[in-house]
């Protein structure tokens, strides 16, 4: 679970050291789907995909590549 306190404590390590407390709280609210004040694993993943469109394209490429490798096994 990512809470405000854990995000604040690790913000410098994450490259977020320049963000204000209000910015960090806004980031948490943006991803907090169930309203419990923190980000669970699923909420974090959803937020990262929303904020990183290139991540989705890369994931699709990797999925296609893995599928082709599996199909190649059956073609032999």
């Amino acid at each position: 679970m990512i809470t405000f306190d854990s995000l604040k404590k690790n913000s410098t390590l994450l490259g977020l050291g320049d963000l204000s407390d209000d910015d960090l709280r806004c980031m948490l609210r943006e991803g907090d789907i169930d309203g419990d004040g923190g980000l669970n694993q699923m909420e974090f993943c959803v937020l990262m995909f929303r904020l990183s469109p290139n991540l989705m394209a890369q994931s699709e490429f990797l999925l296609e590549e893995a599928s082709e490798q599996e199909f190649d096994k059956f073609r032999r």
Side-chain angles (χ1 to χ4, degrees), residues 19-45:
L19 295 180
S20 69
D21 285 1
D22 286 339
D23 289 335
L24 294 175
R25 284 188 182 94
C26 183
M27 184 186 302
L28 285 174
R29 278 192 304 271
E30 180 72 23
D32 185 14
I33 297 168
D34 61 12
D36 65 357
L39 301 180
N40 61 34
Q41 184 178 5
M42 181 59 72
E43 291 169 328
F44 175 78
C45 290

Side-chain angles (χ1 to χ4, degrees), residues 1 4 10 15 19 30 35 38 40 53 60-63 66 75:
M1 174 72 81
F4 171 76
N10 295 294
L19 295 180
E30 180 72 23
N40 61 34
E60 288 175 8
F61 171 77
L62 292 173
L63 179 60
R75 291 183 194 148

Side-chain angles (χ1 to χ4, degrees), residues 46-58:
V46 168
L47 182 61
M48 290 300 98
F49 273 104
R50 285 179 49 214
L51 298 177
S52 306
N54 292 333
L55 187 60
M56 182 61 91
Q58 183 181 9

Side-chain angles (χ1 to χ4, degrees), residues 65-76:
E65 190 176 81
S67 296
E68 285 179 25
Q69 289 175 3
E70 287 299 310
F71 287 133
D72 284 345
K73 290 178 186 177
F74 293 110
R75 291 183 194 148
R76 296 182 191 160

